[in-house]
Amino acid sequence: MTTTIDTLSAELARDGEVTIGFNRTKQFLRNPVGLLGWRRSGPPAPQVIVNDFGLWAASDGFPEGGVPWARILEVHITKVNVSSYIDVSIRTPDTPDRRRTLRLPHMLTVDPEDLAKWIVMELMERGNPI
């Protein structure tokens, strides 16, 4: 049986990049007219991109070009009520001894726990064990 982590790893190996968008519920909350097909809209924009360079997310505070693997210090799940969020702690380029925590978007097509585990596995494979 193929797991989500196996699927993500295979896509990264095959395409060199994995793009993750919002799930159907989040798409509906953001644009009910487009989701119901009453009006054609373009394909949903990716919210998280994982590639050989590192990690990028469409959220406040994330660097424009993404965060290279070497600057990622920690990935963990934060539970708020019934929701799970993925927080990524990074080393800032201007002050390498300081840490900054960024939060990935919520309600993605991949379960947050599976996505966090996979990102940690990719980070460890690139020689930066957590």
Side-chain angles (χ1 to χ4, degrees):
M1 184 167 103
T2 304
T3 66
T4 302
I5 293 173
D6 293 336
T7 303
L8 292 169
S9 296
E11 185 176 339
L12 182 61
R14 182 184 67 240
D15 301 335
E17 180 174 276
V18 175
T19 59
I20 301 167
F22 284 130
N23 66 20
R24 307 274 298 158
T25 303
K26 182 72 171 195
Q27 290 175 21
F28 178 74
L29 293 174
R30 294 187 76 188
N31 184 8
V33 174
L35 186 68
L36 294 173
W38 294 334
R39 185 179 72 211
R40 293 257 186 243
S41 61
Q47 298 303 306
V48 174
I49 297 174
V50 179
N51 57 28
D52 293 331
F53 168 77
L55 178 67
W56 174 86
S59 61
D60 292 337
F62 241 86
E64 188 74 26
V67 178
W69 290 110
R71 287 188 27 219
I72 298 174
L73 299 172
E74 184 178 47
V75 177
H76 59 276
I77 296 283
T78 301
K79 298 265 186 183
V80 178
N81 297 326
V82 295
S83 298
S84 297
Y85 296 90
I86 300 172
D87 289 336
V88 179
S89 294
I90 65 167
R91 184 179 305 113
T92 57
D94 49 344
T95 53
D97 56 331
R98 294 187 71 193
R99 162 187 294 235
R100 190 167 121 204
T101 301
L102 307 169
R103 181 164 281 176
L104 297 185
H106 185 54
M107 297 178 77
L108 299 171
T109 56
V110 179
D111 178 67
E113 293 186 17
D114 288 341
L115 182 57
K117 287 177 190 175
W118 178 65
I119 292 171
V120 167
M121 289 170 56
E122 290 298 319
L123 183 60
M124 292 176 71
E125 187 174 300
R126 286 165 170 72
N128 192 3
I130 296 177

